[in-house]
DNA sequence: GTTAATTTAAAACATGCGTTTGACATTAAT
DNA sequence: ATTAATGTCAAACGCATGTTTTAAATTAAC
């Protein structure tokens, strides 16, 4: 063998690319093997030959993006905590660590920005049963570390509340990623390209406000309790 | 005929109940006609005989709950705006109008509280294409009215931002409804039953904080009025 | 009680699915 | 050039799906 196998590389990668595009557009459940092979201009048997089975193909796509995503999340949290070992990190920074790995990954894909967002959104929305045991473990580790980090930044709000608020946050995130096209048109009224950046910026502000609800940081605030509406 | 048709009522309603339960548990797409008829102890043909087709069955279930839900949403917004015609209504109240119709509906169903939440969450997460034209129109009307109401309450934040924040809100809501069981166990540590109430309370605070991000209302307000919440 | 309409039941139908097969073509190694 | 491994293809398999059919059973009306 002189080089990397050429014969194998072409159709397999075409299949993978086609699968990712279709999964992003229609969701994992709504894509038939024949849809993939047709878009990739390959034979029906190609998926099973190259990937073993349909399930192993989706598992591959999932792990391919979820693993690096979680890894960079943790890396960013690392540098955040290393940079301010004892100081308090703004929640905004933590949320950035949670979602900005996305923008680094869109650059490495053949998929369009919007499509990749959809794909990742669909991945994050998968039920546990659809994920491999290792990926589930990765997710739990990541979630735990971020929960602790946020608990450190917002010590006054009970752990239980924080868990719920994080729950709301991921809900917003999944919805944002999978349905971002609904509102995309509004954001590119102004020139530039960074529609994604603007979107994420809005999300970070929304989520940060929600997470720190009831905590008085807002510079002013001379008076005390301000429990607003607790009926 | 002496009374209401007895012969028709029994299996048809058993089918409907079975369908709702399965749709809630596994989602509309993952439930086969045979699952429904088996749980309802009816024949396979029963669904097509009583409802015309599988699609018409899910359309019935959807419209059955989505229409009243939207209606009560609008009704509650009506009383809110009628009670304070010119004054400013707290966003918390608007969000309540947006989600509390849920608790009134759980009482009227045979489904458990958790299951009904899942069902409604799945309904709210359906793509437009899966909904009838009228239901889509209802949703748009409702969304528009709430957008305008919130715009009135938060005049300082640009309309575009509000649309995004509402987008985040419904994402949180859908995720809350469909995955509330993940965190339910935490909330009933204390006696009582109002797990739903507690959950919605947390959600309202989170969403309200997110919606009014960047707006300084927090009591302090050096100058006069101070009459913001005095109904 | 007879007749007509309505409801149930078993079986089969048509279609789409993931997967497997086995023959054929292509490529790499001796 | 021969052989062995690898990749491709059309066809078919087995199964689950939604739906239809046909006949029997049940119910209502006269």
């Amino acid at each position: 063998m002189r080089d990397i196998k050429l014969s194998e590389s072409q159709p397999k990668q075409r299949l993978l690319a086609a699968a990712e595009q279709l999964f992003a557009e229609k969701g994992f459940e709504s894509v038939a093997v024949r849809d993939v092979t047709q878009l990739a201009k390959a034979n029906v048997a190609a998926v099973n030959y190259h990937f073993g089975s349909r399930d192993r193909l989706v598992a591959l796509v999932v792990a391919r993006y979820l693993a690096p995503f979680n890894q960079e999340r943790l890396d960013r949290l690392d540098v955040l905590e290393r940079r301010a070992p004892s100081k308090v990190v703004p929640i905004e920074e933590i949320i950035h660590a949670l979602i900005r790995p996305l923008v680094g990954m869109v650059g490495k894909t053949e998929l369009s920005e919007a499509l990749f967002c959809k794909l990742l959104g669909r991945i994050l929305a998968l039920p546990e049963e659809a994920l491999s045991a290792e990926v589930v473990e990765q997710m739990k580790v990541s979630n735990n570390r971020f929960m602790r980090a946020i608990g450190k930044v917002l010590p006054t709000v009970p752990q239980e509340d924080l868990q719920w608020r994080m729950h709301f946050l991921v809900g917003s995130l999944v919805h944002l990623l999978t349905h971002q096209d609904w509102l995309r048109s509004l954001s590119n009224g102004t020139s530039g390209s960074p529609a994604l950046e603007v979107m994420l910026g809005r999300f970070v502000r929304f989520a940060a406000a929600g997470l720190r609800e009831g905590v008085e940081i807002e510079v002013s605030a001379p008076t005390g309790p301000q429990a607003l509406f607790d009926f």
Side-chain angles (χ1 to χ4, degrees), chain A residues 212 215-221:
Chain A
R212 70 156 72 94
V215 182
E216 63 303 291
I217 321 181
E218 325 277 2
V219 196
S220 57

Side-chain angles (χ1 to χ4, degrees), chain A residues 62-136:
Chain A
V62 169
R64 197 163 202 275
Y65 293 110
L66 196 47
F69 187 64
N70 272 329
Q71 190 53 55
E72 196 183 336
R73 278 177 157 184
L74 292 177
D75 290 347
R76 285 180 184 250
L77 187 55
D78 278 339
V79 328
L80 231 56
E81 293 180 331
R82 204 177 307 124
R83 197 174 63 192
S86 59
K87 282 184 210 164
V88 176
V89 179
I91 343 176
E92 276 84 355
E93 298 264 16
I94 297 182
I95 304 179
H96 267 111
L98 211 43
I99 68 170
R100 300 228 14 149
L102 168 70
V103 329
M105 294 174 75
V106 300
K108 298 177 185 169
T109 325
E110 305 180 23
L111 278 66
S112 75
E113 186 180 280
L115 266 189
F116 183 76
C117 288
K118 277 207 166 188
L119 181 60
L120 194 67
R122 304 205 122 110
I123 291 176
L124 292 178
L126 283 176
E128 270 195 29
E129 315 93 62
L131 270 50
S132 71
E134 12 175 7
V135 176
V136 170

Side-chain angles (χ1 to χ4, degrees), chain A residues 103-178:
Chain A
V103 329
M105 294 174 75
V106 300
K108 298 177 185 169
T109 325
E110 305 180 23
L111 278 66
S112 75
E113 186 180 280
L115 266 189
F116 183 76
C117 288
K118 277 207 166 188
L119 181 60
L120 194 67
R122 304 205 122 110
I123 291 176
L124 292 178
L126 283 176
E128 270 195 29
E129 315 93 62
L131 270 50
S132 71
E134 12 175 7
V135 176
V136 170
E137 202 49 34
Q138 283 178 340
M139 288 295 293
K140 287 189 177 175
V141 168
S142 176
N143 287 346
N144 283 343
R145 277 211 49 197
F146 273 90
M147 269 303 305
R148 264 181 290 147
I150 290 181
K152 234 178 168 180
V153 175
L154 297 172
T156 56
V157 19
Q159 192 77 357
E160 192 183 330
D161 289 61
L162 281 184
Q163 290 196 246
W164 279 99
R165 295 179 188 184
M166 280 297 278
H167 201 235
F168 301 148
L169 183 149
V170 335
S172 301
L173 179 57
V174 168
H175 199 243
L176 162 65
L177 292 178
T178 52

Side-chain angles (χ1 to χ4, degrees), chain A residues 166-213:
Chain A
M166 280 297 278
H167 201 235
F168 301 148
L169 183 149
V170 335
S172 301
L173 179 57
V174 168
H175 199 243
L176 162 65
L177 292 178
T178 52
H179 298 116
Q180 111 265 70
D181 34 343
W182 290 3
L183 294 183
R184 257 271 168 82
S185 49
L186 302 180
S187 282
N188 57 3
T190 61
S191 61
S193 54
L196 220 195
E197 298 284 349
V198 175
M199 222 171 54
L200 295 186
R202 285 184 215 274
F203 174 77
V204 169
R205 291 205 303 277
F206 176 87
L211 281 186
R212 70 156 72 94
E213 194 274 337

